[in-house]
Amino acid sequence: METILAPHHDLSYEQRHISEFKDFDWSKATKWDAVSFARASGFKETGMSANEVALLFDLLEAKKPKPIVELGRNYGTSTRLFLQHVIRHGGYLESWDLKHWDGFLEIMDANGYPFFCFYGNEYVDIKSGAPHSPKIRIKVAHSIKTAIPEDFKVDFLLIDTEHAMENAVSEYLRWREYLNSGALIAFHDSTLLAVSRSIEIILEIEDKCRPGRIDKIHKNEREDGFGICVLEWKG
């Protein structure tokens, strides 16, 4: 198993307001545009550091995952990173959280990224596809209890819910049945004790059940937040 450390970049922490991305031409976007969009101000908080977002961006660009699932949305830092990826490269995003966080959908709508209520607590971006087959779904769903279609497959899974071992380990073990070969599994806040130990347990489980399944571990060379750790399955 290879550990790959992403070089630290002295990225600017000066945030750009979400309004700067209204009617934005994503065909001309740079890496910093994507990182800035993810970390845009105008929301109640920003959930990831610049270098954490940059590491995820680099992996998205390198691997071009199509079905993406994020477990835990908050005010949408990772959601916006995945959104720009789907806009630029195609694919599909499902965002699951236990609730719609106050103001997130409304602020996105006001700045050119509208989501429409499809049914119940599920919102879709119909700009990216027909209403019956949208490319982006924003859902109220439980990471463990909500049903998953049997034929559903995932290339990129972000786990960023409650930072307790019973959550991270259980979520991984449930969703691993839906991961494609070569999948990426990202754990946010990976330096927190419970999340760090969860990753160790997952590595131990996979080493016993499927030796060699986890091929690489991606981390930042230097942490500037609570950490991001990405496991890469063997292709």
Side-chain angles (χ1 to χ4, degrees):
M1 187 188 314
E2 179 184 6
T3 297
I4 300 174
L5 298 178
H8 183 80
H9 299 288
D10 291 320
L11 299 172
S12 170
Y13 281 82
E14 181 179 350
Q15 290 181 286
R16 293 158 64 182
H17 194 268
I18 186 63
S19 60
E20 292 189 34
F21 296 96
K22 190 172 185 176
D23 301 320
F24 191 78
D25 184 357
W26 284 104
S27 68
K28 299 177 181 177
T30 65
K31 176 178 179 177
W32 188 237
D33 289 327
V35 173
S36 298
F37 179 59
R39 301 188 69 253
S41 61
F43 302 89
K44 287 190 175 181
E45 65 177 65
T46 302
M48 289 185 177
S49 72
N51 277 279
E52 289 169 355
V53 175
L55 172 59
L56 293 181
F57 174 85
D58 288 343
L59 289 172
L60 290 169
E61 289 294 300
K63 303 297 181 179
K64 300 291 191 300
K66 294 304 181 183
I68 300 170
V69 171
E70 65 169 354
L71 305 178
R73 178 169 58 249
N74 204 317
Y75 293 103
T77 301
S78 54
T79 312
R80 288 186 294 279
L81 179 66
F82 295 137
L83 170 61
Q84 65 80 34
H85 179 80
V86 171
I87 291 171
R88 294 170 54 240
H89 298 297
Y92 176 74
L93 166 64
E94 282 214 8
S95 173
W96 289 29
D97 206 317
L98 294 177
K99 67 178 183 178
H100 292 301
W101 290 76
D102 184 37
F104 166 67
L105 289 169
E106 292 80 3
I107 294 169
M108 293 294 288
D109 184 22
N111 289 281
Y113 300 90
F115 289 88
F116 301 90
C117 185
F118 190 51
Y119 62 85
N121 278 315
E122 180 174 336
Y123 286 74
V124 299
D125 169 26
I126 63 171
K127 290 170 64 176
S128 66
H132 62 278
S133 58
K135 294 182 180 178
I136 301 165
R137 294 180 184 268
I138 307 291
K139 305 172 68 169
V140 171
H142 194 288
S143 60
I144 299 297
K145 298 177 182 178
T146 299
I148 305 170
E150 289 186 7
D151 60 348
F152 193 63
K153 293 296 181 183
V154 180
D155 288 337
F156 194 112
L157 175 67
L158 172 67
I159 295 177
D160 191 14
T161 60
E162 299 295 326
H163 301 327
M165 280 192 286
E166 57 266 30
N167 293 94
V169 174
S170 297
E171 287 161 349
Y172 176 83
L173 292 178
R174 184 197 190 194
W175 283 86
R176 76 203 281 254
E177 305 303 320
Y178 301 91
L179 297 175
N180 283 321
S181 174
L184 297 167
I185 308 95
F187 296 85
H188 188 225
D189 297 323
S190 58
T191 62
L192 297 181
L193 183 59
V195 181
S196 177
R197 180 56 185 144
S198 297
I199 296 169
E200 291 175 355
I201 291 171
I202 287 165
L203 293 174
E204 291 167 6
I205 290 171
E206 290 293 10
D207 189 51
K208 289 180 181 179
C209 296
R210 291 285 299 273
R213 167 179 268 177
I214 297 177
D215 190 40
K216 299 181 179 69
I217 301 175
H218 301 268
K219 298 180 179 180
N220 284 116
E221 180 182 51
R222 193 170 82 219
E223 303 292 356
D224 58 355
F226 287 108
I228 194 88
C229 177
V230 184
L231 308 182
E232 181 178 344
W233 275 19
K234 192 170 184 178

